[in-house]
Amino acid sequence: MTRVHVTASRSYDVLIEPGLLDRAGEELRAVLPGARTAAVAEDETVSALYGARLAASLEAAGFRAGEGSKNLTTYAALLDFLGRNGLSRSDVLVALGGGVAGDLAGFAAATYQRGMAFCQVPTSLLAAVDSSVGGKTGIDLPTGKNQAGCFYQPSLVLCDPALLSSLPEREYRGGCAEVIKYGVLFDETFFTSLEETPVKDQLETVIARCVALKRDTVAADEFDRGCRALLNLGHTLGHAVEKVSAYAVSHGEAVAIGMAVLARAAEKRGVAEAGTARRIEAILTRYGLPTATDLPREA
Ligand code: GLY
């Protein structure tokens, strides 16, 4: 098992190992010995695939867990669910799902009774390598993505790479955009390994490397006032592309477009070495990701 320790306003471990889902209760119990109830907030799709296994594992570790999970629809519905089931600040909310599920559940955990314990169990590549670590939580508003939210670190992140095998191809590719982002930003050797070996053939190593790189960034700038902004590479334009496309372009695809556009612009302005954009475009294309958009510049 790989264990990456994150040092932040709340410090915690990210555990990475195939089969971890069935040990989720045991690992969570070790971190939260006094918690009685574990509410599970889950994606509808992953609920059918993994919900029962997670509930069984939590119950085996002595959590009251099996009395119903909350499909993630809205923030208000999730808070209402916690209240109606009598959850207290010393209980735990477990997010089983991708980035949207984790962000929403994290925001609910941060604000329910001014903060209850929170555990992330990512089921998408994007969530595993990026959004489940670092404590960014939030929900979208009609005016844009992540417009309401806060920084709130989980108590534990349990990453079971075996859960990612059921990912639809498009979601896998979207996650690869975030993986490539880490290579572009921080680690040329890692970038080269992604050029040579597909992410799916080195999944555990890739997740561990991205989480370690994110850990270092979060430790240096938890509240996003400095170097953490690097993690937004391609995201400013990407968020605009997502919104203007009415979310027809996925987050990962939009980030890929944003990175490619920025690389071309950086090269044109002479702040990136010649050939940078071509290399970034080539790897994005190899992973089936777009590098441009037809959306009008004015929009
Ligand atoms: N996903 C970017 C960050 O956590 O800062």
Short mmCIF file of all heavy atoms in Angstrom, two decimals, residues 103 126 129-137 146 151 178 181-182 214 217-218 221-222 224 227-233 235 239 251, ligand 1:
data_model
loop_
_atom_site.label_atom_id
_atom_site.label_comp_id
_atom_site.label_asym_id
_atom_site.label_seq_id
_atom_site.Cartn_x
_atom_site.Cartn_y
_atom_site.Cartn_z
N ASP A 103 -16.55 17.26 -4.14
CA ASP A 103 -16.62 18.70 -3.87
C ASP A 103 -17.90 19.05 -3.12
O ASP A 103 -17.89 19.84 -2.17
CB ASP A 103 -16.60 19.50 -5.18
CG ASP A 103 -15.22 19.54 -5.82
OD1 ASP A 103 -14.30 18.87 -5.31
OD2 ASP A 103 -15.06 20.26 -6.83
N LEU A 126 -9.86 11.56 -12.28
CA LEU A 126 -9.70 12.98 -11.95
C LEU A 126 -9.74 13.20 -10.44
O LEU A 126 -8.93 13.92 -9.86
CB LEU A 126 -10.81 13.78 -12.64
CG LEU A 126 -10.77 15.29 -12.54
CD1 LEU A 126 -11.39 15.91 -13.79
CD2 LEU A 126 -11.49 15.81 -11.31
N VAL A 129 -6.48 11.63 -8.71
CA VAL A 129 -5.19 12.30 -8.86
C VAL A 129 -5.22 13.76 -8.44
O VAL A 129 -4.18 14.39 -8.32
CB VAL A 129 -4.65 12.22 -10.32
CG1 VAL A 129 -4.44 10.78 -10.73
CG2 VAL A 129 -5.55 12.95 -11.30
N ASP A 130 -6.40 14.32 -8.25
CA ASP A 130 -6.43 15.75 -8.01
C ASP A 130 -7.47 16.19 -6.97
O ASP A 130 -7.13 16.58 -5.86
CB ASP A 130 -6.66 16.50 -9.34
CG ASP A 130 -6.42 17.98 -9.22
OD1 ASP A 130 -5.25 18.39 -9.16
OD2 ASP A 130 -7.40 18.74 -9.16
N SER A 131 -8.76 16.08 -7.32
CA SER A 131 -9.74 16.80 -6.50
C SER A 131 -9.98 16.21 -5.12
O SER A 131 -10.45 16.91 -4.22
CB SER A 131 -11.07 16.92 -7.26
OG SER A 131 -11.62 15.65 -7.50
N SER A 132 -9.65 14.92 -4.91
CA SER A 132 -9.92 14.34 -3.57
C SER A 132 -8.89 14.79 -2.54
O SER A 132 -9.07 14.60 -1.35
CB SER A 132 -9.96 12.81 -3.65
OG SER A 132 -8.70 12.31 -4.00
N VAL A 133 -7.79 15.37 -3.02
CA VAL A 133 -6.69 15.77 -2.12
C VAL A 133 -6.58 17.29 -2.10
O VAL A 133 -6.68 17.93 -3.15
CB VAL A 133 -5.36 15.17 -2.62
CG1 VAL A 133 -4.20 15.56 -1.71
CG2 VAL A 133 -5.47 13.66 -2.72
N GLY A 134 -6.41 17.87 -0.94
CA GLY A 134 -6.11 19.30 -0.89
C GLY A 134 -7.21 20.17 -0.35
O GLY A 134 -7.00 21.36 -0.11
N GLY A 135 -8.42 19.61 -0.14
CA GLY A 135 -9.43 20.32 0.63
C GLY A 135 -10.24 21.37 -0.10
O GLY A 135 -10.94 22.15 0.55
N LYS A 136 -10.19 21.41 -1.43
CA LYS A 136 -11.09 22.35 -2.11
C LYS A 136 -12.47 21.73 -2.17
O LYS A 136 -12.63 20.60 -2.66
CB LYS A 136 -10.59 22.67 -3.52
CG LYS A 136 -9.55 23.77 -3.54
CD LYS A 136 -9.28 24.28 -4.94
CE LYS A 136 -8.23 25.37 -4.92
NZ LYS A 136 -7.81 25.79 -6.27
N THR A 137 -13.46 22.43 -1.65
CA THR A 137 -14.83 21.92 -1.71
C THR A 137 -15.71 22.99 -2.34
O THR A 137 -15.35 24.17 -2.32
CB THR A 137 -15.40 21.62 -0.30
OG1 THR A 137 -15.76 22.87 0.32
CG2 THR A 137 -14.40 20.88 0.57
N ASN A 146 -17.79 26.30 -9.17
CA ASN A 146 -17.17 26.43 -7.84
C ASN A 146 -17.32 27.82 -7.24
O ASN A 146 -16.42 28.33 -6.58
CB ASN A 146 -15.66 26.11 -7.92
CG ASN A 146 -15.38 24.77 -8.53
OD1 ASN A 146 -16.14 23.83 -8.34
ND2 ASN A 146 -14.29 24.65 -9.27
N PHE A 151 -12.24 25.93 1.83
CA PHE A 151 -11.16 24.95 2.00
C PHE A 151 -11.49 24.12 3.23
O PHE A 151 -11.70 24.68 4.32
CB PHE A 151 -9.82 25.67 2.19
CG PHE A 151 -9.35 26.38 0.96
CD1 PHE A 151 -9.67 27.72 0.74
CD2 PHE A 151 -8.60 25.71 0.01
CE1 PHE A 151 -9.24 28.37 -0.40
CE2 PHE A 151 -8.17 26.35 -1.14
CZ PHE A 151 -8.49 27.69 -1.35
N GLU A 178 -5.70 15.83 -16.37
CA GLU A 178 -5.16 16.31 -15.09
C GLU A 178 -3.81 15.66 -14.78
O GLU A 178 -2.92 16.29 -14.23
CB GLU A 178 -6.15 16.05 -13.94
CG GLU A 178 -7.48 16.79 -14.04
CD GLU A 178 -7.41 18.27 -13.63
OE1 GLU A 178 -6.33 18.76 -13.23
OE2 GLU A 178 -8.46 18.93 -13.73
N LYS A 181 -1.27 17.35 -16.79
CA LYS A 181 -1.02 18.66 -16.17
C LYS A 181 0.11 18.58 -15.15
O LYS A 181 1.00 19.43 -15.12
CB LYS A 181 -2.31 19.15 -15.49
CG LYS A 181 -2.17 20.45 -14.74
CD LYS A 181 -3.42 20.75 -13.91
CE LYS A 181 -3.37 20.04 -12.55
NZ LYS A 181 -4.52 20.38 -11.68
N TYR A 182 0.10 17.53 -14.31
CA TYR A 182 1.16 17.39 -13.29
C TYR A 182 2.53 17.19 -13.93
O TYR A 182 3.53 17.71 -13.45
CB TYR A 182 0.83 16.24 -12.32
CG TYR A 182 -0.17 16.67 -11.27
CD1 TYR A 182 -1.51 16.38 -11.39
CD2 TYR A 182 0.25 17.42 -10.16
CE1 TYR A 182 -2.44 16.82 -10.46
CE2 TYR A 182 -0.66 17.85 -9.22
CZ TYR A 182 -2.00 17.54 -9.37
OH TYR A 182 -2.90 17.99 -8.44
N LYS A 214 0.81 16.96 -5.64
CA LYS A 214 -0.24 17.84 -5.10
C LYS A 214 0.02 18.10 -3.62
O LYS A 214 -0.14 19.22 -3.13
CB LYS A 214 -1.62 17.22 -5.32
CG LYS A 214 -2.70 18.13 -4.75
CD LYS A 214 -3.95 18.14 -5.53
CE LYS A 214 -4.83 19.30 -5.08
NZ LYS A 214 -6.14 19.30 -5.67
N THR A 217 2.42 20.84 -3.18
CA THR A 217 1.86 22.16 -3.52
C THR A 217 0.93 22.64 -2.40
O THR A 217 0.97 23.81 -2.01
CB THR A 217 1.07 22.05 -4.85
OG1 THR A 217 1.88 21.37 -5.80
CG2 THR A 217 0.70 23.42 -5.37
N VAL A 218 0.11 21.74 -1.90
CA VAL A 218 -0.83 22.11 -0.83
C VAL A 218 -0.07 22.48 0.45
O VAL A 218 -0.42 23.45 1.14
CB VAL A 218 -1.84 20.96 -0.59
CG1 VAL A 218 -2.67 21.20 0.67
CG2 VAL A 218 -2.75 20.80 -1.80
N ASP A 221 1.10 26.01 -0.01
CA ASP A 221 0.12 27.09 -0.22
C ASP A 221 -1.30 26.53 -0.14
O ASP A 221 -2.01 26.46 -1.14
CB ASP A 221 0.36 27.73 -1.60
CG ASP A 221 -0.64 28.83 -1.92
OD1 ASP A 221 -1.20 29.44 -0.98
OD2 ASP A 221 -0.87 29.06 -3.12
N GLU A 222 -1.69 26.12 1.08
CA GLU A 222 -2.99 25.46 1.23
C GLU A 222 -4.14 26.32 0.71
O GLU A 222 -5.09 25.80 0.11
CB GLU A 222 -3.21 25.12 2.73
CG GLU A 222 -4.55 24.46 2.99
CD GLU A 222 -4.76 24.09 4.45
OE1 GLU A 222 -3.83 24.27 5.27
OE2 GLU A 222 -5.86 23.61 4.76
N ASP A 224 -4.33 28.72 -1.52
CA ASP A 224 -4.37 29.17 -2.91
C ASP A 224 -4.09 30.68 -3.07
O ASP A 224 -4.78 31.37 -3.79
CB ASP A 224 -5.76 28.85 -3.50
CG ASP A 224 -5.71 28.60 -5.00
OD1 ASP A 224 -4.61 28.69 -5.57
OD2 ASP A 224 -6.77 28.33 -5.59
N CYS A 227 1.58 29.62 -4.99
CA CYS A 227 1.97 28.61 -5.98
C CYS A 227 0.87 27.58 -6.27
O CYS A 227 0.93 26.90 -7.30
CB CYS A 227 3.25 27.91 -5.52
SG CYS A 227 3.04 26.90 -4.06
N ARG A 228 -0.13 27.47 -5.41
CA ARG A 228 -1.20 26.51 -5.71
C ARG A 228 -1.93 26.87 -7.00
O ARG A 228 -2.51 26.01 -7.66
CB ARG A 228 -2.18 26.41 -4.53
CG ARG A 228 -3.21 25.30 -4.73
CD ARG A 228 -3.95 24.91 -3.47
NE ARG A 228 -4.96 23.92 -3.74
CZ ARG A 228 -5.64 23.26 -2.84
NH1 ARG A 228 -5.42 23.49 -1.56
NH2 ARG A 228 -6.55 22.36 -3.18
N ALA A 229 -1.88 28.16 -7.35
CA ALA A 229 -2.52 28.60 -8.59
C ALA A 229 -1.94 27.87 -9.81
O ALA A 229 -2.59 27.76 -10.84
CB ALA A 229 -2.38 30.10 -8.75
N LEU A 230 -0.71 27.34 -9.65
CA LEU A 230 -0.13 26.56 -10.75
C LEU A 230 -1.04 25.40 -11.14
O LEU A 230 -1.13 25.02 -12.31
CB LEU A 230 1.24 26.01 -10.34
CG LEU A 230 2.40 27.01 -10.25
CD1 LEU A 230 3.61 26.33 -9.61
CD2 LEU A 230 2.75 27.53 -11.63
N LEU A 231 -1.72 24.83 -10.13
CA LEU A 231 -2.58 23.67 -10.40
C LEU A 231 -3.77 24.04 -11.28
O LEU A 231 -4.49 23.17 -11.75
CB LEU A 231 -3.08 23.05 -9.09
CG LEU A 231 -2.02 22.52 -8.13
CD1 LEU A 231 -2.66 21.94 -6.88
CD2 LEU A 231 -1.15 21.47 -8.81
N ASN A 232 -3.97 25.35 -11.46
CA ASN A 232 -5.05 25.80 -12.35
C ASN A 232 -4.58 25.91 -13.79
O ASN A 232 -5.30 26.50 -14.61
CB ASN A 232 -5.59 27.16 -11.89
CG ASN A 232 -6.29 27.06 -10.55
OD1 ASN A 232 -6.73 25.97 -10.17
ND2 ASN A 232 -6.39 28.16 -9.84
N LEU A 233 -3.41 25.37 -14.10
CA LEU A 233 -2.93 25.42 -15.48
C LEU A 233 -4.04 24.97 -16.43
O LEU A 233 -4.58 23.87 -16.30
CB LEU A 233 -1.71 24.50 -15.65
CG LEU A 233 -1.19 24.37 -17.08
CD1 LEU A 233 -0.62 25.69 -17.58
CD2 LEU A 233 -0.12 23.28 -17.18
N HIS A 235 -7.00 25.90 -16.54
CA HIS A 235 -8.35 25.88 -15.96
C HIS A 235 -9.14 27.17 -16.17
O HIS A 235 -10.37 27.13 -16.21
CB HIS A 235 -8.29 25.59 -14.45
CG HIS A 235 -8.06 24.13 -14.13
ND1 HIS A 235 -6.95 23.44 -14.57
CD2 HIS A 235 -8.79 23.24 -13.41
CE1 HIS A 235 -7.01 22.19 -14.13
NE2 HIS A 235 -8.12 22.04 -13.42
N HIS A 239 -12.53 26.49 -17.65
CA HIS A 239 -13.83 26.74 -17.01
C HIS A 239 -14.75 27.53 -17.94
O HIS A 239 -15.96 27.29 -18.00
CB HIS A 239 -13.65 27.50 -15.69
CG HIS A 239 -13.16 26.62 -14.58
ND1 HIS A 239 -12.68 27.12 -13.39
CD2 HIS A 239 -13.09 25.27 -14.46
CE1 HIS A 239 -12.33 26.11 -12.60
NE2 HIS A 239 -12.56 24.98 -13.23
N HIS A 251 -14.91 18.54 -18.02
CA HIS A 251 -13.85 19.27 -17.32
C HIS A 251 -12.47 18.91 -17.87
O HIS A 251 -11.67 19.79 -18.20
CB HIS A 251 -13.92 18.99 -15.82
CG HIS A 251 -12.86 19.72 -15.04
ND1 HIS A 251 -12.88 21.08 -14.84
CD2 HIS A 251 -11.72 19.27 -14.46
CE1 HIS A 251 -11.81 21.44 -14.15
NE2 HIS A 251 -11.09 20.36 -13.90
N1 GLY B 1 -7.59 21.28 -8.39
C1 GLY B 1 -6.71 22.37 -8.13
C2 GLY B 1 -6.45 22.55 -6.67
O1 GLY B 1 -6.82 21.74 -5.85
O2 GLY B 1 -5.91 23.55 -6.31
#
